[in-house]
Amino acid sequence: MKHKILIVGAGIIGCSLADEFTRRGAAVTIIDAAEVGAATSAATFAWINSNNKKPLEYSTLNVLGLQAHERAASRPGARWFHQTGNVQIAQNDKEQQALHTKVEQHLANGYEAKLLSAERVRELEPSLNSPHLTGGALYPKEGWIDTATMCTSLLNRAMASGATFVPYQTVTSIQQSNVTATSSDGEQRTYEADVVILAAGNGTRRILSTAGIPFPTLEPSGTGTRNGSTASAGVGIISTTGPVDAGIRHIVRAEGIALRPARNGGITFADHPTGGQWDLDDPRIWTVPALLLERARELYPALRNVSTENVSVGIRVLPEDGLTIADWIDHNHSVYAVATHSGVTLSAHLAESVAEEVLNGHRHESLEPFGLSRFAATSM
Ligand SMILES: Cc1cc2nc3c(=O)[nH]c(=O)nc-3n(C[C@H](O)[C@H](O)[C@H](O)COP(=O)(O)OP(=O)(O)OC[C@H]3O[C@@H](n4cnc5c(N)ncnc54)[C@H](O)[C@@H]3O)c2cc1C
């Protein structure tokens, strides 16, 4: 019998799931409160990496994420993974020493990394202006994802194989696998499926609260409680210039800034490491794009000819321990939830392994550490 799957949320996770479930023959409906890829997945640095990720099992999950993107990129029509490599530069001896240590640790874990001389950095990034450059590191397998293209392409591919996408449907309650959603004109509609997959990012916690089920992600704005202490719930700023030929060939990271080519032909910036951690009510948040452009112009003088074209405020999807949740919500196996930081890196691997678990009952070993049992008990 064909499995009937309802996916809530058409971000990078929901669209990847829709494509994977459809490929495996399930009857998929995907609904979203807004449009495809419009929430956190539209305001992300989208760097595909397992660079400095801790603990080891999370690092392994991210390596599998990168490898799944490499596999997905070899399929016809997949033009969203830009595997440019990532160059991190050092501009003083302390930074150089830190890079040395980091590269050694990565190599010891089997992650591809290479220490670079200043001359080699200049060969790789000939437009870089860094008079105090002491060297750098190259992570050749890393890259960035054009999330808008990935989300729409996967959704279109799923729809071409029979999936249904219904935008502007806000889920207002869930009871087992019965989901009630309200459209923008106030009309209520009920969806029934064999399995509901919640991939609603920062919305999943609220959806489950309608059934009285706690879900261990941080509040999506301002500060929240993390490991018992107050912490930022992960607001980050991403800004993009208009089109420019600044000669930036890789993801480039330097103290206080990360930059990369953007889908519009401009350059996308994030503050360290991928978007910083801000409070929404901190007014300094709005000074970030100008500061980033100023820093970037020091490194790439051609950026003096261009201005910021787009600023996005992204709100990370953060489980309480900052990692990943991929697990059944209930003992009857009618509702499954995926909520994660690093969701762009992890999307392709999570889609494959969650589809396998839901359809065939095999839980991928990489998911073992990322169940709900590590938090306080959650049951439907
Ligand atoms: C500043 C910043 C930088 C980042 N940098 C990186 C990076 O470099 N690399 C990386 O891998 N990750 C990065 N991330 C994290 C990554 O972007 C996220 O983990 C990922 O986008 C989450 O995708 P998602 O599909 O789970 O959530 P979302 O993209 O938020 O999608 C959830 C969808 O659910 C819908 N929804 C919500 N509530 C409801 C409801 N009640 N009913 C119906 N639909 C609903 C929303 O409309 C939305 O479309 C970054 C995040 C930020 C904020």
Side-chain angles (χ1 to χ4, degrees), residues 41 127 155 161 165 206 247 255 319 340 367:
S41 301
S127 304
L155 192 58
S161 300
F165 174 50
R206 190 165 307 158
E255 180 59 30
T340 187
L367 296 188

Side-chain angles (χ1 to χ4, degrees), residues 48 60-74 81 83 110-111 141 345 348-349 352:
I48 300 306
T60 304
L61 193 70
N62 280 271
V63 168
L64 291 169
L66 197 162
Q67 290 169 349
H69 277 300
E70 285 181 316
R71 282 197 301 280
S74 65
F81 183 23
Q83 202 168 19
Y111 190 66
K141 297 279 184 183
T345 300
H349 173 63
E352 286 173 2

